[in-house]
Amino acid sequence: MSLTERIRGDLTRSMKARDAARTSTLRMVQAALQNEQIDKGRELSDEEAEAVLRRAVKQRRDSVEQYTRGGRADLAAKEEAEIALLETYLPQMLDQTETERVVDEAIRRSGATSKQDTGRVMKEIMAAHRGRVDGRRVQEILARRLP
């Protein structure tokens, strides 16, 4: 079963269960997936659907940050709940120690020695571990590792 089919099925189940919060989030994701499908003119692959979900999670994280700064804890909590739901459809992210290990390996393999090599190392890491590592976290680790 593809990711889009799984989301479609979960949306149907949440509507039958009258779970308003889950239904609302899944409808937004379903709409984003359909828009992407229309843009591409074909069915989305699981990788493309994951990219749409990652964008949705990133947008919600930005919203949480804005709501928190604005003193709207209620809206931030709603966005956090949506993030938690969306992340169930994405591959498990690497934790801090695994990410550091991946960065160290990439630095060693590429022979990077200075901050000027950051882009090359980032490109290698993101290509090999797309969707499983946080780009910001990788960038922070690289900043500490490369003089």
Side-chain angles (χ1 to χ4, degrees):
M1 175 182 291
S2 74
L3 182 57
T4 53
E5 291 169 343
R6 195 171 125 213
I7 290 172
R8 209 172 295 128
D10 289 351
L11 174 59
T12 302
R13 283 187 286 285
S14 72
M15 288 189 306
K16 288 179 180 177
R18 298 180 191 267
D19 185 349
R22 187 175 180 87
T23 300
S24 171
T25 302
L26 289 175
R27 276 187 176 149
M28 284 189 279
V29 169
Q30 182 68 27
L33 289 168
Q34 285 176 339
N35 287 338
E36 187 75 14
Q37 185 174 331
I38 289 168
D39 288 345
K40 298 226 184 263
R42 59 178 167 72
E43 286 290 321
L44 298 178
S45 68
D46 280 350
E47 292 80 24
E48 292 166 331
E50 285 176 12
V52 171
L53 288 171
R54 279 193 297 276
R55 279 196 307 268
V57 167
K58 186 173 193 257
Q59 289 170 345
R60 282 161 179 77
R61 284 202 174 110
D62 291 342
S63 296
V64 166
E65 189 177 310
Q66 295 292 324
Y67 290 143
T68 303
R69 270 194 262 139
R72 295 296 309 262
D74 56 329
L75 294 175
K78 179 182 179 281
E79 295 289 327
E80 288 285 355
E82 289 181 1
I83 290 170
L85 173 61
L86 294 176
E87 285 180 338
T88 63
Y89 296 101
L90 293 171
Q92 190 67 29
M93 297 290 279
L94 297 179
D95 65 15
Q96 182 70 25
T97 57
E98 290 172 324
T99 303
E100 288 177 2
R101 184 185 52 77
V102 165
V103 169
D104 290 340
E105 285 177 17
I107 289 172
R108 183 183 47 75
R109 271 195 316 272
S110 68
T113 58
S114 69
K115 287 200 185 298
Q116 293 173 340
D117 300 322
T118 300
R120 184 167 38 104
V121 177
M122 276 290 292
K123 185 177 178 182
E124 180 182 327
I125 292 170
M126 298 311 284
H129 300 282
R130 179 156 311 280
R132 298 194 59 226
V133 295
D134 180 11
R136 282 188 204 158
R137 185 183 292 171
V138 170
Q139 206 164 22
E140 290 168 2
I141 295 168
L142 281 171
R144 289 193 311 262
R145 299 282 201 274
L146 296 175

